[in-house]
Amino acid sequence: MSKPESIVEGIKQYFDECPLIKKMGAKTKVEFLKDDTRSFSIETVPGPSVIENYLDGVSERQYRFNLVARFSYSEEARMNIENSQFFEELAAWIEEQSDEENLPELPKGDDAEELNVTTTGYLFAVSADWRIARYQLQLQLVYMHDSRAAKSKG
């Protein structure tokens, strides 16, 4: 896998390798969620990026995003429990990977420090025909940014 050109590209590559997503035969999109079930997308969330600036040109930053998915939905409790269980397992996988420092590869000048799950996976919306639901999990990638290294990308 080549070094990503952007943070969101590194996050996409990371989740494309997630065994839970791969098991479904799915790939993550960026800022685009297909209408069919078992589709995933990374959607950026607005907010401040700099956590702390240091005198040497390095800063601690955050990249906030949602990992969203569409799953089948019905009044059948079993199906909806399985949907929720998927996000419980995904959150556990993310936390385990972060603890083991297996984090997204980032562009030159950026080094991932941790990936935090900031909410449980939750039902966000249901289609008009009540057959497909959008779920999402909110995340925060904390990384160190070296402005000197980033300027020498070329």
Side-chain angles (χ1 to χ4, degrees):
M1 194 175 347
S2 63
K3 193 144 183 85
E5 294 292 319
S6 67
I7 292 171
V8 73
E9 182 182 4
I11 293 169
K12 179 197 179 320
Q13 290 173 352
Y14 182 78
F15 282 105
D16 279 346
E17 295 302 315
C18 171
L20 295 166
I21 293 173
K22 284 177 88 169
K23 188 167 92 174
M24 293 181 172
K27 289 276 191 185
T28 53
K29 303 286 185 191
V30 176
E31 307 291 350
F32 178 80
L33 186 62
K34 294 171 29 176
D35 287 335
D36 55 324
T37 60
R38 304 294 190 216
S39 60
F40 295 85
S41 181
I42 296 159
E43 297 180 352
T44 56
V45 175
S49 60
V50 176
I51 296 171
E52 189 165 351
N53 283 312
Y54 300 100
L55 295 175
D56 62 358
V58 174
S59 58
E60 182 179 35
R61 297 182 178 213
Q62 66 178 344
Y63 188 92
R64 299 177 62 95
F65 64 98
N66 294 333
L67 182 63
V68 299
R70 289 203 202 280
F71 289 141
S72 296
Y73 180 80
S74 77
E75 64 184 48
E76 179 189 330
R78 181 81 245 144
M79 178 186 294
N80 300 332
I81 289 169
E82 288 173 4
N83 293 344
S84 293
Q85 181 180 349
F86 172 85
F87 281 97
E88 289 175 20
E89 292 172 2
L90 181 60
W93 179 83
I94 293 166
E95 290 166 356
E96 178 182 301
Q97 297 304 303
S98 188
D99 289 347
E100 293 175 3
E101 297 181 5
N102 181 14
L103 298 164
E105 180 80 22
L106 300 180
K108 184 176 180 181
D110 296 325
D111 290 304
E113 295 285 310
E114 57 190 51
L115 184 57
N116 300 309
V117 176
T118 60
T119 65
T120 57
Y122 60 94
L123 177 67
F124 183 79
V126 177
S127 64
D129 65 2
W130 294 86
R131 298 178 75 157
I132 298 176
R134 173 191 163 117
Y135 289 82
Q136 63 187 44
L137 182 69
Q138 296 178 345
L139 299 143
Q140 174 202 40
L141 175 67
V142 177
Y143 65 100
M144 300 304 286
H145 174 75
D146 185 339
S147 60
R148 299 161 301 179
K151 287 178 186 172
S152 67
K153 279 186 177 183

PDB file of all heavy atoms in Angstrom, residues 87-110:
ATOM      1  N   PHE A  87     -21.425  -2.931  15.265  1.00  0.00           N
ATOM      2  CA  PHE A  87     -20.728  -1.723  15.706  1.00  0.00           C
ATOM      3  C   PHE A  87     -20.035  -1.917  17.047  1.00  0.00           C
ATOM      4  O   PHE A  87     -18.998  -1.309  17.296  1.00  0.00           O
ATOM      5  CB  PHE A  87     -21.681  -0.522  15.714  1.00  0.00           C
ATOM      6  CG  PHE A  87     -21.879   0.020  14.333  1.00  0.00           C
ATOM      7  CD1 PHE A  87     -22.971  -0.352  13.580  1.00  0.00           C
ATOM      8  CD2 PHE A  87     -20.941   0.858  13.764  1.00  0.00           C
ATOM      9  CE1 PHE A  87     -23.141   0.117  12.290  1.00  0.00           C
ATOM     10  CE2 PHE A  87     -21.093   1.341  12.478  1.00  0.00           C
ATOM     11  CZ  PHE A  87     -22.191   0.968  11.733  1.00  0.00           C
ATOM     12  N   GLU A  88     -20.567  -2.777  17.905  1.00  0.00           N
ATOM     13  CA  GLU A  88     -19.860  -3.109  19.141  1.00  0.00           C
ATOM     14  C   GLU A  88     -18.537  -3.803  18.811  1.00  0.00           C
ATOM     15  O   GLU A  88     -17.494  -3.484  19.383  1.00  0.00           O
ATOM     16  CB  GLU A  88     -20.714  -4.028  20.020  1.00  0.00           C
ATOM     17  CG  GLU A  88     -21.906  -3.354  20.655  1.00  0.00           C
ATOM     18  CD  GLU A  88     -22.796  -4.336  21.409  1.00  0.00           C
ATOM     19  OE1 GLU A  88     -22.333  -5.450  21.762  1.00  0.00           O
ATOM     20  OE2 GLU A  88     -23.959  -3.981  21.657  1.00  0.00           O
ATOM     21  N   GLU A  89     -18.589  -4.751  17.881  1.00  0.00           N
ATOM     22  CA  GLU A  89     -17.382  -5.473  17.478  1.00  0.00           C
ATOM     23  C   GLU A  89     -16.399  -4.550  16.760  1.00  0.00           C
ATOM     24  O   GLU A  89     -15.190  -4.642  16.973  1.00  0.00           O
ATOM     25  CB  GLU A  89     -17.751  -6.660  16.593  1.00  0.00           C
ATOM     26  CG  GLU A  89     -18.498  -7.752  17.335  1.00  0.00           C
ATOM     27  CD  GLU A  89     -19.046  -8.841  16.425  1.00  0.00           C
ATOM     28  OE1 GLU A  89     -18.829  -8.795  15.191  1.00  0.00           O
ATOM     29  OE2 GLU A  89     -19.710  -9.752  16.953  1.00  0.00           O
ATOM     30  N   LEU A  90     -16.918  -3.652  15.933  1.00  0.00           N
ATOM     31  CA  LEU A  90     -16.054  -2.709  15.228  1.00  0.00           C
ATOM     32  C   LEU A  90     -15.358  -1.778  16.221  1.00  0.00           C
ATOM     33  O   LEU A  90     -14.156  -1.539  16.118  1.00  0.00           O
ATOM     34  CB  LEU A  90     -16.867  -1.903  14.214  1.00  0.00           C
ATOM     35  CG  LEU A  90     -16.093  -0.887  13.384  1.00  0.00           C
ATOM     36  CD1 LEU A  90     -15.000  -1.564  12.563  1.00  0.00           C
ATOM     37  CD2 LEU A  90     -17.040  -0.106  12.490  1.00  0.00           C
ATOM     38  N   ALA A  91     -16.089  -1.265  17.201  1.00  0.00           N
ATOM     39  CA  ALA A  91     -15.492  -0.385  18.215  1.00  0.00           C
ATOM     40  C   ALA A  91     -14.409  -1.131  18.988  1.00  0.00           C
ATOM     41  O   ALA A  91     -13.334  -0.578  19.248  1.00  0.00           O
ATOM     42  CB  ALA A  91     -16.568   0.152  19.155  1.00  0.00           C
ATOM     43  N   ALA A  92     -14.660  -2.380  19.335  1.00  0.00           N
ATOM     44  CA  ALA A  92     -13.663  -3.176  20.060  1.00  0.00           C
ATOM     45  C   ALA A  92     -12.422  -3.386  19.189  1.00  0.00           C
ATOM     46  O   ALA A  92     -11.289  -3.290  19.687  1.00  0.00           O
ATOM     47  CB  ALA A  92     -14.263  -4.519  20.477  1.00  0.00           C
ATOM     48  N   TRP A  93     -12.614  -3.647  17.904  1.00  0.00           N
ATOM     49  CA  TRP A  93     -11.478  -3.828  16.991  1.00  0.00           C
ATOM     50  C   TRP A  93     -10.655  -2.544  16.902  1.00  0.00           C
ATOM     51  O   TRP A  93      -9.429  -2.587  16.972  1.00  0.00           O
ATOM     52  CB  TRP A  93     -11.977  -4.253  15.602  1.00  0.00           C
ATOM     53  CG  TRP A  93     -10.870  -4.434  14.611  1.00  0.00           C
ATOM     54  CD1 TRP A  93     -10.088  -5.544  14.452  1.00  0.00           C
ATOM     55  CD2 TRP A  93     -10.398  -3.477  13.660  1.00  0.00           C
ATOM     56  NE1 TRP A  93      -9.166  -5.335  13.446  1.00  0.00           N
ATOM     57  CE2 TRP A  93      -9.334  -4.070  12.943  1.00  0.00           C
ATOM     58  CE3 TRP A  93     -10.769  -2.176  13.327  1.00  0.00           C
ATOM     59  CZ2 TRP A  93      -8.650  -3.411  11.928  1.00  0.00           C
ATOM     60  CZ3 TRP A  93     -10.087  -1.509  12.323  1.00  0.00           C
ATOM     61  CH2 TRP A  93      -9.040  -2.126  11.638  1.00  0.00           C
ATOM     62  N   ILE A  94     -11.311  -1.416  16.762  1.00  0.00           N
ATOM     63  CA  ILE A  94     -10.620  -0.129  16.664  1.00  0.00           C
ATOM     64  C   ILE A  94      -9.813   0.134  17.936  1.00  0.00           C
ATOM     65  O   ILE A  94      -8.646   0.532  17.876  1.00  0.00           O
ATOM     66  CB  ILE A  94     -11.618   1.021  16.399  1.00  0.00           C
ATOM     67  CG1 ILE A  94     -12.227   0.864  14.996  1.00  0.00           C
ATOM     68  CG2 ILE A  94     -10.950   2.384  16.567  1.00  0.00           C
ATOM     69  CD1 ILE A  94     -13.459   1.723  14.764  1.00  0.00           C
ATOM     70  N   GLU A  95     -10.421  -0.076  19.095  1.00  0.00           N
ATOM     71  CA  GLU A  95      -9.733   0.157  20.374  1.00  0.00           C
ATOM     72  C   GLU A  95      -8.523  -0.773  20.507  1.00  0.00           C
ATOM     73  O   GLU A  95      -7.456  -0.347  20.955  1.00  0.00           O
ATOM     74  CB  GLU A  95     -10.707  -0.009  21.524  1.00  0.00           C
ATOM     75  CG  GLU A  95     -11.735   1.116  21.571  1.00  0.00           C
ATOM     76  CD  GLU A  95     -12.923   0.844  22.483  1.00  0.00           C
ATOM     77  OE1 GLU A  95     -13.028  -0.274  23.057  1.00  0.00           O
ATOM     78  OE2 GLU A  95     -13.753   1.755  22.611  1.00  0.00           O
ATOM     79  N   GLU A  96      -8.691  -2.019  20.120  1.00  0.00           N
ATOM     80  CA  GLU A  96      -7.580  -2.979  20.183  1.00  0.00           C
ATOM     81  C   GLU A  96      -6.444  -2.551  19.249  1.00  0.00           C
ATOM     82  O   GLU A  96      -5.270  -2.590  19.627  1.00  0.00           O
ATOM     83  CB  GLU A  96      -8.092  -4.367  19.795  1.00  0.00           C
ATOM     84  CG  GLU A  96      -7.034  -5.442  19.781  1.00  0.00           C
ATOM     85  CD  GLU A  96      -7.623  -6.771  19.347  1.00  0.00           C
ATOM     86  OE1 GLU A  96      -8.559  -7.256  20.008  1.00  0.00           O
ATOM     87  OE2 GLU A  96      -7.136  -7.316  18.327  1.00  0.00           O
ATOM     88  N   GLN A  97      -6.785  -2.150  18.034  1.00  0.00           N
ATOM     89  CA  GLN A  97      -5.771  -1.704  17.081  1.00  0.00           C
ATOM     90  C   GLN A  97      -5.036  -0.466  17.586  1.00  0.00           C
ATOM     91  O   GLN A  97      -3.814  -0.353  17.450  1.00  0.00           O
ATOM     92  CB  GLN A  97      -6.406  -1.411  15.712  1.00  0.00           C
ATOM     93  CG  GLN A  97      -7.025  -2.610  15.036  1.00  0.00           C
ATOM     94  CD  GLN A  97      -6.046  -3.746  14.860  1.00  0.00           C
ATOM     95  OE1 GLN A  97      -4.992  -3.584  14.238  1.00  0.00           O
ATOM     96  NE2 GLN A  97      -6.369  -4.902  15.412  1.00  0.00           N
ATOM     97  N   SER A  98      -5.777   0.456  18.187  1.00  0.00           N
ATOM     98  CA  SER A  98      -5.161   1.674  18.720  1.00  0.00           C
ATOM     99  C   SER A  98      -4.220   1.327  19.872  1.00  0.00           C
ATOM    100  O   SER A  98      -3.105   1.847  19.947  1.00  0.00           O
ATOM    101  CB  SER A  98      -6.231   2.666  19.168  1.00  0.00           C
ATOM    102  OG  SER A  98      -5.647   3.909  19.502  1.00  0.00           O
ATOM    103  N   ASP A  99      -4.657   0.436  20.762  1.00  0.00           N
ATOM    104  CA  ASP A  99      -3.802   0.015  21.886  1.00  0.00           C
ATOM    105  C   ASP A  99      -2.517  -0.638  21.390  1.00  0.00           C
ATOM    106  O   ASP A  99      -1.461  -0.487  22.003  1.00  0.00           O
ATOM    107  CB  ASP A  99      -4.550  -0.965  22.800  1.00  0.00           C
ATOM    108  CG  ASP A  99      -5.651  -0.296  23.610  1.00  0.00           C
ATOM    109  OD1 ASP A  99      -5.694   0.958  23.673  1.00  0.00           O
ATOM    110  OD2 ASP A  99      -6.495  -1.029  24.176  1.00  0.00           O
ATOM    111  N   GLU A 100      -2.604  -1.358  20.273  1.00  0.00           N
ATOM    112  CA  GLU A 100      -1.429  -2.032  19.699  1.00  0.00           C
ATOM    113  C   GLU A 100      -0.647  -1.110  18.753  1.00  0.00           C
ATOM    114  O   GLU A 100       0.304  -1.552  18.110  1.00  0.00           O
ATOM    115  CB  GLU A 100      -1.877  -3.294  18.955  1.00  0.00           C
ATOM    116  CG  GLU A 100      -2.441  -4.357  19.874  1.00  0.00           C
ATOM    117  CD  GLU A 100      -3.009  -5.559  19.128  1.00  0.00           C
ATOM    118  OE1 GLU A 100      -2.926  -5.608  17.876  1.00  0.00           O
ATOM    119  OE2 GLU A 100      -3.545  -6.453  19.802  1.00  0.00           O
ATOM    120  N   GLU A 101      -1.064   0.138  18.666  1.00  0.00           N
ATOM    121  CA  GLU A 101      -0.447   1.151  17.805  1.00  0.00           C
ATOM    122  C   GLU A 101      -0.465   0.751  16.332  1.00  0.00           C
ATOM    123  O   GLU A 101       0.401   1.121  15.553  1.00  0.00           O
ATOM    124  CB  GLU A 101       0.962   1.489  18.285  1.00  0.00           C
ATOM    125  CG  GLU A 101       0.964   2.099  19.668  1.00  0.00           C
ATOM    126  CD  GLU A 101       2.330   2.470  20.184  1.00  0.00           C
ATOM    127  OE1 GLU A 101       3.333   2.351  19.437  1.00  0.00           O
ATOM    128  OE2 GLU A 101       2.412   2.892  21.346  1.00  0.00           O
ATOM    129  N   ASN A 102      -1.491   0.001  15.953  1.00  0.00           N
ATOM    130  CA  ASN A 102      -1.748  -0.312  14.552  1.00  0.00           C
ATOM    131  C   ASN A 102      -2.755   0.724  14.066  1.00  0.00           C
ATOM    132  O   ASN A 102      -3.961   0.550  14.215  1.00  0.00           O
ATOM    133  CB  ASN A 102      -2.290  -1.730  14.392  1.00  0.00           C
ATOM    134  CG  ASN A 102      -2.534  -2.084  12.946  1.00  0.00           C
ATOM    135  OD1 ASN A 102      -2.085  -1.400  12.032  1.00  0.00           O
ATOM    136  ND2 ASN A 102      -3.274  -3.161  12.742  1.00  0.00           N
ATOM    137  N   LEU A 103      -2.230   1.813  13.517  1.00  0.00           N
ATOM    138  CA  LEU A 103      -3.041   2.990  13.199  1.00  0.00           C
ATOM    139  C   LEU A 103      -2.947   3.316  11.714  1.00  0.00           C
ATOM    140  O   LEU A 103      -2.082   2.805  11.013  1.00  0.00           O
ATOM    141  CB  LEU A 103      -2.557   4.174  14.036  1.00  0.00           C
ATOM    142  CG  LEU A 103      -2.687   3.969  15.547  1.00  0.00           C
ATOM    143  CD1 LEU A 103      -1.855   4.992  16.304  1.00  0.00           C
ATOM    144  CD2 LEU A 103      -4.149   4.037  15.960  1.00  0.00           C
ATOM    145  N   PRO A 104      -3.825   4.181  11.225  1.00  0.00           N
ATOM    146  CA  PRO A 104      -3.760   4.548   9.810  1.00  0.00           C
ATOM    147  C   PRO A 104      -2.412   5.152   9.421  1.00  0.00           C
ATOM    148  O   PRO A 104      -1.814   5.909  10.192  1.00  0.00           O
ATOM    149  CB  PRO A 104      -4.872   5.599   9.658  1.00  0.00           C
ATOM    150  CG  PRO A 104      -5.824   5.310  10.766  1.00  0.00           C
ATOM    151  CD  PRO A 104      -4.968   4.817  11.901  1.00  0.00           C
ATOM    152  N   GLU A 105      -1.965   4.798   8.236  1.00  0.00           N
ATOM    153  CA  GLU A 105      -0.784   5.416   7.635  1.00  0.00           C
ATOM    154  C   GLU A 105      -1.211   6.816   7.194  1.00  0.00           C
ATOM    155  O   GLU A 105      -2.291   6.985   6.627  1.00  0.00           O
ATOM    156  CB  GLU A 105      -0.333   4.596   6.434  1.00  0.00           C
ATOM    157  CG  GLU A 105       0.875   5.131   5.732  1.00  0.00           C
ATOM    158  CD  GLU A 105       2.176   4.771   6.422  1.00  0.00           C
ATOM    159  OE1 GLU A 105       2.216   3.789   7.186  1.00  0.00           O
ATOM    160  OE2 GLU A 105       3.154   5.494   6.180  1.00  0.00           O
ATOM    161  N   LEU A 106      -0.381   7.809   7.482  1.00  0.00           N
ATOM    162  CA  LEU A 106      -0.727   9.196   7.158  1.00  0.00           C
ATOM    163  C   LEU A 106       0.310   9.796   6.206  1.00  0.00           C
ATOM    164  O   LEU A 106       1.400   9.253   6.041  1.00  0.00           O
ATOM    165  CB  LEU A 106      -0.825  10.032   8.442  1.00  0.00           C
ATOM    166  CG  LEU A 106      -1.871   9.580   9.461  1.00  0.00           C
ATOM    167  CD1 LEU A 106      -1.853  10.495  10.671  1.00  0.00           C
ATOM    168  CD2 LEU A 106      -3.253   9.514   8.848  1.00  0.00           C
ATOM    169  N   PRO A 107      -0.022  10.935   5.586  1.00  0.00           N
ATOM    170  CA  PRO A 107       0.922  11.582   4.670  1.00  0.00           C
ATOM    171  C   PRO A 107       2.203  12.015   5.384  1.00  0.00           C
ATOM    172  O   PRO A 107       2.253  12.116   6.617  1.00  0.00           O
ATOM    173  CB  PRO A 107       0.164  12.813   4.174  1.00  0.00           C
ATOM    174  CG  PRO A 107      -1.245  12.594   4.518  1.00  0.00           C
ATOM    175  CD  PRO A 107      -1.278  11.667   5.690  1.00  0.00           C
ATOM    176  N   LYS A 108       3.214  12.313   4.577  1.00  0.00           N
ATOM    177  CA  LYS A 108       4.488  12.790   5.104  1.00  0.00           C
ATOM    178  C   LYS A 108       4.255  13.990   6.014  1.00  0.00           C
ATOM    179  O   LYS A 108       3.508  14.902   5.679  1.00  0.00           O
ATOM    180  CB  LYS A 108       5.401  13.186   3.953  1.00  0.00           C
ATOM    181  CG  LYS A 108       6.779  13.597   4.389  1.00  0.00           C
ATOM    182  CD  LYS A 108       7.659  13.892   3.195  1.00  0.00           C
ATOM    183  CE  LYS A 108       9.045  14.298   3.669  1.00  0.00           C
ATOM    184  NZ  LYS A 108       9.910  14.613   2.542  1.00  0.00           N
ATOM    185  N   GLY A 109       4.883  13.976   7.185  1.00  0.00           N
ATOM    186  CA  GLY A 109       4.746  15.059   8.148  1.00  0.00           C
ATOM    187  C   GLY A 109       3.689  14.807   9.209  1.00  0.00           C
ATOM    188  O   GLY A 109       3.580  15.564  10.165  1.00  0.00           O
ATOM    189  N   ASP A 110       2.908  13.739   9.033  1.00  0.00           N
ATOM    190  CA  ASP A 110       1.858  13.406   9.995  1.00  0.00           C
ATOM    191  C   ASP A 110       2.083  11.997  10.532  1.00  0.00           C
ATOM    192  O   ASP A 110       2.349  11.080   9.756  1.00  0.00           O
ATOM    193  CB  ASP A 110       0.474  13.473   9.341  1.00  0.00           C
ATOM    194  CG  ASP A 110       0.100  14.871   8.879  1.00  0.00           C
ATOM    195  OD1 ASP A 110       0.484  15.839   9.557  1.00  0.00           O
ATOM    196  OD2 ASP A 110      -0.574  15.000   7.840  1.00  0.00           O
TER     197      ASP A 110
END
